[in-house]
Amino acid sequence: MRLTLVALATCAALFGCQPASNTSEAESTTSVTQQAPSASEIAEETKRLNAWFEEKYEEGVLNSPIQLTFLGRTERQDEIDDFSEQGSLRNIERSRKNLAELKEKFDYDKLTADAKLSYDIWVYLAESAEKSYEFRNNAYVFDQMQAIHSFFPQLLIAFHRVSEPQDMQNYIARISASAVAIDQLIKGSKDVAKLGVRPPYFAFESVIDESQKIISGQPFTDEGESSLWSDAKSKIESLVAAEKLTDEEAEQMLQQVKDALVNELQPAYERLIAWQQEDMVNATELAQGASALPNGDAYYNMMLEQNTTTTLTADEIHDIGLAEVKRLRSEMEKVKQEFGFEGTLQEFFVFLRETKDDERLYYPNTDAGRQGYIDDATAAIDKIKAVLPEYFGILPKADMVVKRVEPFREQDGAAQHYFPSTPDGSRPGVYYAHLSDMTAMPKRELEVIAYHEGLPGHHMQIAIAQELGDVPTFRTQAGFNAYAEGWGLYSEWLAKEMPGTYQDPLSEFGRLGSEIWRAIRLVLDTGLHSKGWTEDQAVEYFMANSAITEEQARSEVRRYLVLVGQATGYKVGMLKIQELRRLAESELKDKFDIREFHDVILGGGAMPLSLLERRVVDYIDAKK
């Protein structure tokens, strides 16, 4: 969620961008006089296509130093991606060439069913990338959610591995490269600002605050140590302990780190802060949705299509949200009664959000309370691990851990999130929790968030995808919002079927609260960007239909305002997966196997919902 710009910078390198149908009518229709391809022809064409996919994927990933690091690879470890307009153009042109080559070189009718799926996913990604590029000047560069400004320290601290002295030299080079990237992004922000595209007023405050935190403490200032400085020292000390550096060499290397931080990275962040302070005065006092942007309605429609992988309109999504909110409120009424609360549902919301000193509801706002949250979230995930083989045939090899968000990017009440493991499992997946304010972390939500971010949610889906060995590599890395977040939300619901989960009414209320949260998102995202809703109007609707605090509600609404359309993918994706499960259960009856069904959903990697439906229907037909 926080890496949208990074994803855009790397996606174009991998996939074509020329809008085109998957196959022409001539290509997809076999003449009655044309002989069907033989099994050997199909095998040969599929083999050629898969080899081409591997070649193009490797070319693309080698073009992204950041993606290489995420994958646990060491090539170009001393570089950062090119965030300039020229860099984006080079990627798009390379991608267009790839797509033209795909359509010219391969015969769609001579492919296996799974190879056709790979072909269609590639083309879908190509078309999506082109549409995104068309509206690139509508996207905000700096905001509180994508947080590209805080990504560079996070890359160094959490993902840049150091086991040899050269790795540390690469670390130093990356500090300098990060400064260049920040300046490229500043230029991009200035360019779109000239077109009247700038984030809402509150995003500026967050970017300034987080940027100031990054360059606070030694060696930037005297008070305390910055996170980057502590990390660099720790990594250098590990090299000394491994007898790979002498004390003298370590001192020299530490001075190099200091020089790069103070002379290059700090001035870049100071330029970013200055630019944000300068442009902040031009932001409107009332946050506006996408419809206020140049060509805003078309931009929003594109973002809905990208984020849901459907053709649902804003009005249709809004109505689905209203219906789901109504249904879930009735479910919450039942749980409220089971808990023993005698007031109205609205009064129960108030009780849950305002009773901060009840140990049934919240952890202490102390270090002990924070550790308690991490321990309990880990225990909830471990409980799921024990029963996974009963629900899945394919299991992830990589482990996962629960961690607190780093101080320089931690925000009170902000959404929890997940960072993937490496394909080889050498780095575990990480469920990150914002724990600076424990009064924003109610106990009732602990289980449902752990299941969504960890198991059987994001870690399950992403780790399995990355570890797949029987699909082209690009499919193991492809991402689709509705598929991924739809699976995460489906996982919250699926966990209810597993033994030992949601044992008390409050935890079940937390699950319903999480689901209604996603239903509310359908109403609010479309309301804000298509129907002229104000920030305050959206906050009021949120609090009227959930136990969320005003601070959380405002944080969420502000998220929707900057991540245009992203919030719609969760519920749309969940509803589609539930629909496909009902279809499989209805068609297969006693032949239905929950493990097989989940393997079909996860075993092909992420894909648009229409192609996921095709995969499930093919499975049903084959099983019957």
Side-chain angles (χ1 to χ4, degrees):
M1 181 185 65
R2 294 171 65 87
L3 294 176
T4 305
L5 280 171
V6 175
L8 289 176
T10 59
C11 178
L14 301 179
F15 308 111
C17 301
Q18 181 69 34
S21 60
N22 292 352
T23 55
S24 68
E25 184 177 349
E27 290 171 327
S28 61
T29 304
T30 302
S31 169
V32 292
T33 61
Q34 184 179 17
Q35 186 175 359
S38 66
S40 61
E41 287 177 316
I42 290 173
E44 180 60 29
E45 190 72 350
T46 295
K47 181 180 178 181
R48 283 201 321 118
L49 178 64
N50 286 338
W52 184 89
F53 280 142
E54 295 307 305
E55 175 190 346
K56 296 305 177 183
Y57 171 79
E58 186 66 10
E59 288 177 3
V61 79
L62 284 172
N63 194 54
S64 172
I66 292 172
Q67 183 69 1
L68 286 167
T69 296
F70 279 173
L71 294 173
R73 295 173 55 168
T74 57
E75 302 100 314
R76 302 188 68 183
Q77 197 188 28
D78 58 342
E79 300 176 60
I80 294 288
D81 291 31
D82 185 349
F83 287 93
S84 69
E85 182 178 356
Q86 294 77 14
S88 297
L89 181 60
R90 283 194 297 271
N91 284 340
I92 287 292
E93 289 174 342
R94 183 188 306 109
S95 302
R96 288 170 177 163
K97 180 181 177 182
N98 284 347
L99 185 59
E101 188 175 312
L102 172 69
K103 296 177 74 66
E104 178 184 348
K105 283 190 172 183
F106 300 98
D107 186 338
Y108 188 83
D109 288 331
K110 291 183 178 180
L111 299 174
T112 63
D114 197 60
K116 288 178 179 178
L117 189 62
S118 297
Y119 186 109
D120 292 340
I121 292 171
W122 184 285
V123 175
Y124 191 101
L125 284 163
E127 294 173 348
S128 296
E130 182 67 23
K131 291 171 184 175
S132 294
Y133 188 75
E134 178 185 349
F135 287 97
R136 64 194 179 280
N137 290 329
N138 282 77
Y140 305 134
V141 178
F142 298 107
D143 61 62
Q144 83 282 8
M145 292 308 304
Q146 296 174 112
I148 188 67
H149 54 282
S150 66
F151 166 71
F152 302 109
Q154 186 186 14
L155 176 70
L156 290 166
I157 293 170
F159 298 101
H160 186 106
R161 292 187 285 184
V162 172
S163 57
E164 300 293 336
Q166 183 57 50
D167 299 332
M168 200 62 211
Q169 291 295 341
N170 293 339
Y171 183 105
I172 295 167
R174 267 197 163 153
I175 294 173
S176 303
S178 297
V180 173
I182 290 169
D183 282 333
Q184 290 174 337
L185 290 163
I186 291 172
K187 182 182 184 303
S189 178
K190 289 182 176 180
D191 289 343
V192 297
K194 292 175 184 176
L195 303 174
V197 176
R198 56 178 54 84
Y201 67 95
F202 50 78
F204 290 90
E205 298 168 352
S206 177
V207 173
I208 291 169
D209 178 63
E210 289 189 4
S211 297
Q212 288 173 335
K213 286 179 181 177
I214 290 168
I215 55 174
S216 294
Q218 296 177 7
F220 308 111
T221 58
D222 291 334
E223 61 278 4
E225 280 191 350
S226 69
S227 296
L228 273 169
W229 186 240
S230 296
D231 179 66
K233 286 172 64 177
S234 174
K235 284 173 172 157
I236 291 174
E237 287 168 3
S238 70
L239 293 175
V240 173
E243 298 183 351
K244 295 181 178 181
L245 283 181
T246 65
D247 289 340
E248 182 179 355
E249 289 170 333
E251 282 297 321
Q252 293 173 349
M253 190 171 283
L254 201 58
Q255 184 61 47
Q256 290 177 304
V257 172
K258 181 176 181 179
D259 290 343
L261 289 174
V262 172
N263 298 329
E264 296 183 70
L265 194 66
Q266 183 176 6
Y269 273 107
E270 288 171 344
R271 289 190 289 273
L272 171 57
I273 292 167
W275 160 238
Q276 293 291 281
Q277 290 172 335
E278 175 188 340
D279 196 41
M280 185 177 182
V281 299
N282 298 314
T284 57
E285 293 184 8
L286 293 177
Q288 296 177 299
S291 59
L293 297 173
N295 204 18
D297 290 338
Y299 171 59
Y300 185 54
N301 290 335
M302 184 275 296
M303 293 301 287
L304 287 179
E305 181 182 347
Q306 298 275 49
N307 281 289
T308 68
T309 64
T310 71
T311 57
L312 290 169
T313 66
D315 285 344
E316 288 171 332
I317 291 172
H318 192 83
D319 289 344
I320 292 170
L322 292 172
E324 283 294 287
V325 168
K326 181 179 180 180
R327 178 184 69 81
L328 288 161
R329 281 183 66 101
S330 67
E331 293 296 315
M332 296 172 98
E333 286 278 5
K334 298 174 186 176
V335 178
K336 179 206 72 173
Q337 293 172 10
E338 184 182 353
F339 180 74
F341 190 86
E342 296 182 356
T344 66
L345 183 60
Q346 190 62 41
E347 288 170 340
F348 192 46
F349 290 157
V350 174
F351 165 75
L352 291 175
R353 77 169 62 107
E354 293 186 0
T355 311
K356 302 292 187 181
D357 56 352
D358 190 329
E359 64 179 15
R360 295 176 302 169
L361 305 182
Y362 292 92
Y363 291 85
N365 199 20
T366 63
D367 287 342
R370 295 176 181 92
Q371 187 59 48
Y373 185 97
I374 292 175
D375 292 344
D376 289 349
T378 301
I381 289 167
D382 287 344
K383 182 167 50 182
I384 292 291
K385 279 183 185 178
V387 298
L388 284 179
E390 300 174 27
Y391 297 87
F392 299 88
I394 305 172
L395 299 174
K397 299 180 182 69
D399 198 6
M400 66 153 295
V401 296
V402 184
K403 287 186 178 180
R404 182 180 178 181
V405 172
E406 300 91 343
F408 62 84
R409 65 185 187 91
E410 191 169 42
Q411 302 175 31
D412 292 353
Q416 322 316 322
H417 53 282
Y418 171 80
F419 270 96
S421 55
T422 50
D424 64 3
S426 60
R427 186 187 69 233
V430 181
Y431 156 33
Y432 278 107
H434 291 266
L435 303 178
S436 51
D437 179 12
M438 296 306 294
T439 64
M441 299 291 288
K443 286 184 176 181
R444 67 181 182 276
E445 295 176 1
L446 180 139
E447 274 192 82
V448 70
I449 295 174
Y451 302 149
H452 181 107
E453 301 295 344
L455 296 173
H458 286 325
H459 178 68
M460 188 88 185
Q461 178 255 308
I462 295 172
I464 285 175
Q466 292 194 131
E467 295 165 7
L468 291 173
D470 57 353
V471 300
T473 307
F474 87 89
R475 281 176 60 181
T476 71
Q477 298 299 315
F480 295 90
N481 181 51
Y483 173 94
E485 297 299 354
W487 174 261
L489 190 54
Y490 170 84
S491 295
E492 299 176 14
W493 175 78
L494 172 65
K496 185 174 170 61
E497 300 178 19
M498 299 179 174
T501 62
Y502 307 122
Q503 290 294 288
D504 63 88
L506 280 180
S507 290
E508 172 61 8
F509 198 86
R511 185 193 70 78
L512 291 170
S514 180
E515 187 174 353
I516 202 170
W517 192 316
R518 281 25 178 260
I520 289 168
R521 284 177 171 176
L522 300 184
V523 178
L524 298 191
D525 197 278
T526 52
L528 290 163
H529 295 295
S530 179
K531 298 181 178 297
W533 285 33
T534 66
E535 178 184 342
D536 287 342
Q537 185 179 356
V539 170
E540 182 180 346
Y541 182 87
F542 217 138
M543 295 184 68
N545 290 286
S546 75
I548 195 170
T549 67
E550 183 174 354
E551 292 78 11
Q552 286 177 306
R554 197 163 295 280
S555 175
E556 278 290 304
V557 169
R558 290 177 174 182
R559 165 185 172 166
Y560 312 152
L561 282 163
V562 299
L563 292 180
V564 178
Q566 192 270 344
T568 62
Y570 299 72
K571 204 71 174 72
V572 170
M574 177 201 195
L575 290 171
K576 173 54 72 173
I577 295 172
Q578 288 177 319
E579 174 193 322
L580 294 175
R581 177 169 164 177
R582 288 193 298 271
L583 176 66
E585 289 171 335
S586 172
E587 292 289 321
L588 297 177
K589 299 181 173 57
D590 59 350
K591 290 184 178 181
F592 177 79
D593 186 322
I594 190 65
R595 293 171 299 179
E596 287 184 358
F597 174 76
H598 288 149
D599 288 354
V600 170
I601 297 294
L602 299 182
M607 61 189 70
L609 297 181
S610 58
L611 296 183
L612 181 65
E613 181 171 3
R614 187 172 95 192
R615 179 174 163 84
V616 171
V617 169
D618 287 347
Y619 157 73
I620 293 171
D621 290 344
K623 183 81 172 177
K624 289 172 70 174

